RNA sequence: GGGCCCGUGGCCUAGCCUGGAUAAGGCACUGGCCUUCUAAGCCAGUAAUCCCGGGUUCAAAUCCCGGCGGGCCCGCCA
């Protein structure tokens, strides 16, 4: 499998290629041996800059001037050579690239497996967990958009202390909500130790009847978690049950394969690493979560080119150990995205402190706020339309406000920020989209316009021209926030264009500007789909 | 004690990987813009010792070392 990150040839890369060719030729003529430093500067200087500060020799102005042609202008500015693409030619190429649909073309890439969320269903998701889901889902969408084959899995814990405590809780307190029943057992774990151990032993020795019963109970609870995720557009391609790796013998296989590295301690088995002990087997013969996770990752590695885990920062050590043991088995293709916690002003969310914020509550509040706004703006709208619009806005706002931060950045949750509908937010982006839509809806057909692009138009077009590269970068680095930010910036530039450049009321410029609005509409919709934001034709 | 992450205007964030021209946005605040394609918008303004100290370099928010502050982890739990 070949790795291709540059799926897209695009106009910007094409022009950059032209510029580089010229500079390389000049460098050869002048016998410059040092590497050529060419990068994207602050846009006010140009589209590219050739930075000659490191060169010992000065490049004479005459040589620079000779580089100019109808496509690209080179201009010496001290130790920099500013490079400007011909705005008419470049803009035209970008517009055609987008409006022809070319920008959507991708080539097939490697097979990805994204595992995300994988929470024990001991209660509804809180926003910290939701961050995992939203990051995982958005990364999956980006990778798919780039043409890769992507499968998304939820790893379902049906073995272990927490799960047994949950089951026992529901048995002992059948009348309590299951979250509360679980908490009563888990918080008094000493009291129920014997029973938990008995259940764990049955599960880990592969008691099929027991496991079957466990699963059917957990499946019902899982639905409660998934309901919230489905509502914001997050779906899974499959659910992997932890106990399967015991039933199918993989856990035993892992222990056999690792035998040469295992050390014994009263019957328990461990691997030494960094002066630490990684346990794989208890003295009572049962396996540990770690061991089952190794089995899961062997399955991932065998069936996919690039398995990706989405994990909270609290799992860093676990993953480091996992990577070490997998390496012993010759497995090195596992990638991981770590994200930091969502905390509140009172610190870490905890049930005891009573500062847990559940995703569903946040969504509900967000929709309620959106509803107020919609009613204000469209007093004549019927109840059903209001509800539908408010739901899209409310849900998108939450997704956006979680995805816009880079994953490793800790988020301090405030209702004010989470429910911000202005500035860098989903409603802002949706609003710009709706504006472009309303222009397009008032026209019957699009005609090819002239190439007399004005500055404001060129600025917008250049931003659109960056889209495919932003997608690649977001996918390559697992940074969905880069796409989120780009979408906002693009929408923001469109709003400036909207103010300065009348489209329908200006017959001189109408055709050309309609092309621009159409291109913007296509790009932004594509970006919103990829981010999992709802599309609203009107707002 | 050890390991990892974060530290950028009053608040939040981008830029750091791959060092380069006056550090870029949002929120908040102040003032302005709806008889013209949607004002969830736009324009202007106030506001930053880029945590501190060294080092490397012609050049450091960015790289290296040492601190400080905050977070996470260090279980025969998951």
């Amino acid at each position: 499998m070949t790795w291709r990150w540059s799926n897209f040839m695009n106009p910007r890369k094409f022009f950059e290629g032209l510029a580089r060719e010229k500079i390389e030729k000049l460098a050869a003529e002048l016998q410059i041996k040092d590497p050529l430093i060419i990068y994207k500067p602050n846009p006010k200087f140009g589209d590219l800059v050739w930075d000659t500060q490191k060169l010992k020799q000065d490049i004479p102005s005459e040589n620079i001037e000779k580089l100019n042609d109808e496509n690209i202008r080179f201009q010496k500015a001290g130790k920099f050579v500013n490079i400007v693409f011909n705005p008419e030619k470049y803009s035209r190429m970008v517009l055609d690239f987008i409006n022809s649909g070319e920008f959507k073309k991708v080539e097939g890439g490697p097979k990805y497996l994204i595992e995300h969320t994988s929470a024990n269903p001991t209660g509804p998701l809180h926003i910290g967990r939701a961050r995992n889901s939203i990051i995982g889902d958005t990364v999956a969408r980006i990778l798919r958009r780039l043409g890769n084959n992507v499968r998304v899995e939820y790893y379902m814990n049906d073995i272990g202390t927490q799960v047994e405590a949950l089951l026992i809780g529901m048995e002992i307190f059948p009348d309590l909500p299951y979250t509360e029943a679980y908490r009563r057992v888990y918080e008094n774990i000493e009291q129920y130790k014997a029973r938990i151990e008995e259940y764990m032993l049955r599960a880990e020795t592969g008691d099929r009847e027991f496991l079957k019963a466990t699963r059917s109970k957990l499946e019902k609870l899982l639905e409660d978690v998934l309901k919230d995720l489905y509502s914001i557009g997050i779906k899974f391609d499959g659910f992997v049950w932890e106990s399967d790796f015991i039933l199918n013998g993989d856990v035993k296989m892992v222990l056999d394969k690792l035998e040469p590295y295992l050390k014994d301690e009263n019957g328990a088995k461990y691997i030494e690493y960094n002066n630490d002990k990684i346990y794989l087997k208890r003295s009572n013969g049962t396996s540990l979560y770690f061991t089952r996770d190794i089995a899961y990752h062997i399955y991932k590695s065998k069936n996919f080119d690039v398995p990706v885990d989405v994990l909270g920062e609290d799992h860093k050590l676990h993953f480091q150990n996992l990577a070490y043991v997998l390496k012993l088995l010759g497995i090195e293709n596992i990638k991981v995205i770590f994200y930091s916690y969502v905390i509140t002003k009172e610190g870490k969310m905890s049930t005891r402190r009573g500062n847990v914020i559940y995703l569903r509550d946040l969504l509900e509040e967000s929709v309620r706020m959106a509803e107020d706004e919609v009613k204000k703006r469209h007093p004549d709208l019927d109840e059903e339309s209001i509800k539908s619009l408010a739901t899209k806005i409310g849900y998108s706002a939450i997704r956006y406000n979680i995805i816009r931060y880079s994953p490793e950045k800790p988020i301090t949750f405030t209702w004010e920020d989470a429910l911000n509908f202005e500035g860098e937010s989903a409603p802002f982006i949706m609003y710009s989209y709706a504006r472009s839509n309303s222009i397009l809806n008032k026209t019957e057909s699009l005609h090819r316009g002239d190439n007399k692009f004005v500055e404001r138009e060129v600025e917008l077009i250049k931003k659109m021209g960056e889209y495919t590269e932003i997608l690649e970068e977001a996918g390559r680095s697992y940074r969905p926030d880069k796409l989120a930010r780009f979408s906002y910036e693009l929408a923001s530039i469109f709003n400036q264009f909207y103010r300065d450049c009348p489209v329908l009321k200006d017959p001189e410029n109408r055709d050309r500007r309609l092309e621009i609005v159409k291109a913007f509409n296509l790009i932004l919709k594509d970006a919103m789909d990829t981010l999992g934001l709802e599309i609203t034709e009107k707002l």
Side-chain angles (χ1 to χ4, degrees):
Chain A
M1 178 62 63
T2 49
W3 289 65
R4 285 187 60 102
W5 275 108
S6 291
N7 266 331
F8 307 95
M9 187 57 192
N10 68 21
R12 204 205 61 76
K13 284 183 191 169
F14 176 75
F15 270 74
E16 177 170 342
L18 295 180
R20 276 181 186 276
E21 236 171 74
K22 293 222 165 199
I23 291 171
E24 276 161 19
K25 209 172 147 207
L26 175 63
E29 276 169 31
L30 298 176
Q31 308 213 320
I32 294 169
K33 297 276 185 330
D34 299 303
L36 303 171
I37 302 170
I38 299 169
Y39 54 84
K40 278 168 80 173
N42 185 323
K44 72 188 166 197
F45 295 118
D47 297 297
L48 287 172
V49 61
W50 177 21
D51 185 343
T52 66
Q53 290 183 101
K54 253 186 176 157
L55 298 182
K56 289 177 191 68
Q57 56 192 304
D58 191 55
I59 316 288
S61 306
E62 310 88 82
N63 293 74
I64 302 293
E65 266 163 42
K66 272 195 287 183
L67 297 177
N68 288 321
D69 67 13
E70 72 278 10
N71 289 320
I72 302 174
R73 214 180 71 237
F74 297 80
Q75 190 144 36
K76 205 175 165 193
K79 285 286 215 173
F80 298 98
V81 178
N82 292 325
I83 302 167
V84 182
F85 302 160
N86 179 307
E88 296 192 355
K89 288 181 187 287
Y90 179 64
S91 298
R92 170 47 63 192
M93 199 188 263
V94 171
L95 274 190
D96 290 346
F97 175 71
I98 297 166
N99 285 333
S100 65
E102 184 81 9
F103 81 105
K104 289 207 174 189
K105 282 194 187 156
V106 289
E107 293 169 18
K111 269 171 80 178
Y112 281 86
L113 174 71
I114 315 280
E115 182 214 330
H116 72 75
T117 309
S118 302
N120 282 344
T122 51
L125 286 185
H126 61 70
I127 52 171
R129 284 287 190 182
R131 191 177 188 188
N132 184 316
S133 314
I134 293 170
I135 289 170
D137 181 69
T138 310
V139 167
R141 284 167 185 263
I142 291 168
L143 293 173
R144 278 199 183 111
R145 173 62 181 80
L146 287 164
N148 304 294
N149 183 321
V150 180
R151 180 178 164 84
V152 180
E153 285 183 356
Y154 190 121
Y155 186 47
M156 190 60 186
N157 229 238
D158 57 348
I159 290 187
T161 322
Q162 272 190 42
V163 171
E164 312 311 345
L166 175 63
L167 295 177
I168 290 163
M170 291 194 299
E171 283 166 19
I172 297 178
F173 310 107
D175 299 328
L176 286 177
Y178 67 88
T179 303
E180 178 59 25
Y182 159 72
R183 201 191 320 159
R184 291 218 185 157
V185 173
Y186 199 72
E187 283 177 2
N188 304 291
I189 204 145
E190 280 305 309
Q191 194 183 327
Y192 302 97
K193 207 175 170 184
R195 193 154 167 189
I196 287 175
E197 215 171 289
E198 182 207 326
Y199 278 37
M200 265 167 62
L201 212 60
R202 289 177 72 180
E204 295 191 9
T205 50
D207 180 336
R208 281 173 194 270
E209 280 309 306
F210 178 81
L211 286 171
K212 206 176 147 195
T214 302
R215 258 183 219 198
S216 76
K217 283 176 205 160
L218 291 179
E219 265 167 355
K220 288 205 183 66
L221 306 185
L222 180 60
E223 275 170 31
D224 203 26
V225 169
L226 295 179
K227 199 171 61 187
D228 294 339
L229 294 178
Y230 287 162
S231 73
I232 54 172
I234 299 176
K235 293 199 174 82
F236 296 88
D237 299 310
F239 297 83
V240 173
W241 295 81
E242 193 178 357
S243 62
D244 277 340
F245 295 103
I246 288 177
L247 294 174
N248 70 7
D250 280 4
V251 166
K252 191 177 177 310
M253 177 203 70
V254 168
L255 289 168
D256 289 346
K257 278 193 177 172
L258 287 170
E259 184 58 39
Y261 308 98
L262 294 181
K263 296 189 175 174
D264 187 281
E265 183 182 292
N266 306 323
K269 304 285 184 188
Y270 66 90
I271 288 175
E272 239 178 24
Y273 174 53
N274 276 350
N275 294 324
D276 225 347
K277 295 171 180 172
I278 308 172
Y279 285 91
L280 287 114
K281 199 174 179 180
R282 298 190 181 91
S283 3
N284 69 6
T286 58
S287 66
L288 285 105
Y289 169 80
F290 185 87
T291 321
R292 275 125 38 199
D293 211 20
I294 292 284
Y296 183 27
H297 282 82
I298 291 173
Y299 147 84
K300 290 182 179 186
S301 177
K302 214 188 300 178
N303 295 290
F304 300 89
D305 300 311
V306 192
V308 182
D309 293 357
V310 182
L311 298 173
E313 59 178 341
D314 54 333
H315 281 64
K316 278 188 176 177
L317 185 65
H318 170 78
F319 185 83
Q320 200 189 333
N321 290 341
L322 194 75
Y324 173 74
V325 174
L326 286 169
K327 201 174 168 186
L328 294 177
L329 297 170
I331 293 171
E332 299 187 63
N333 61 340
I334 312 288
K335 304 276 185 243
V336 61
I337 302 168
F338 287 114
Y339 65 93
S340 292
Y341 278 24
V342 179
I343 59 171
T344 69
K345 279 178 180 156
E346 294 82 40
K348 196 177 167 179
M349 283 190 284
S350 84
T351 322
R352 254 178 305 126
R353 267 179 241 170
N355 63 347
V356 175
I357 294 146
Y358 291 108
L359 176 62
R360 62 178 56 159
D361 296 336
L362 180 60
L363 290 174
E364 198 179 300
E365 181 62 16
S366 187
V367 171
R368 205 191 53 70
M369 266 187 59
E371 219 174 301
D372 290 348
E373 289 295 316
V374 172
K375 277 181 188 160
K376 236 187 278 170
R377 284 156 219 271
H378 308 284
D380 45 341
L381 217 54
D382 62 278
E383 200 60 38
E384 199 180 319
S385 305
I386 291 173
K387 191 77 197 170
S388 151
L389 205 50
T391 304
K392 288 181 173 179
I393 295 165
Y395 287 178
S396 298
I398 299 306
R399 265 193 88 123
Y400 190 88
N401 277 332
I402 288 178
I403 206 64
R404 73 190 179 101
Y405 299 100
S406 82
E408 80 241 21
K409 203 92 172 180
I411 299 179
T412 304
F413 178 89
T414 64
W415 286 96
E416 195 193 345
D417 289 342
L419 298 176
N420 172 36
F421 288 0
E422 282 165 14
E424 192 182 350
S425 68
F428 179 100
I429 296 169
M430 297 164 84
Y431 182 72
S432 304
Y433 177 79
R435 272 179 152 182
S436 71
N437 226 42
S438 108
I439 293 175
L440 295 173
N441 283 340
K442 293 188 171 82
T443 70
E444 299 79 41
S445 57
L446 297 175
H447 305 281
R448 197 182 175 83
D450 59 32
N451 291 346
K452 295 177 186 161
F453 300 98
V454 301
E455 210 178 319
R456 189 60 88 189
E457 298 167 19
V458 172
E459 191 191 357
L460 176 58
I461 292 168
K462 281 187 174 172
K463 191 70 183 177
M464 296 196 277
E466 290 172 14
Y467 177 59
T468 55
E469 286 173 84
I470 295 291
L471 272 180
E472 287 173 16
E473 172 61 14
R476 187 190 63 74
S477 57
Y478 305 113
R479 289 281 305 276
D481 57 297
K482 285 180 186 280
L483 180 59
R485 174 165 285 263
F486 171 85
S487 304
Y488 163 72
E489 287 170 354
L490 178 64
S492 176
I493 294 172
F494 177 78
N495 283 334
Q496 294 161 35
F497 163 87
Y498 185 90
R499 177 203 61 217
D500 291 340
C501 303
V503 180
L504 302 174
K505 316 227 151 180
D506 187 344
E508 288 268 304
N509 299 304
R510 178 186 162 112
D511 286 344
R512 185 186 71 248
R513 286 182 179 164
L514 273 173
E515 283 189 280
I516 297 171
V517 175
K518 180 65 189 170
F520 168 77
N521 192 267
L522 287 173
I523 293 279
L524 195 64
K525 180 173 192 303
D526 195 77
M528 290 167 79
D529 282 340
T530 308
L531 286 170
L533 304 182
E534 298 278 357
I535 308 292
T536 48
E537 304 301 329
K538 289 182 184 173
L539 201 60

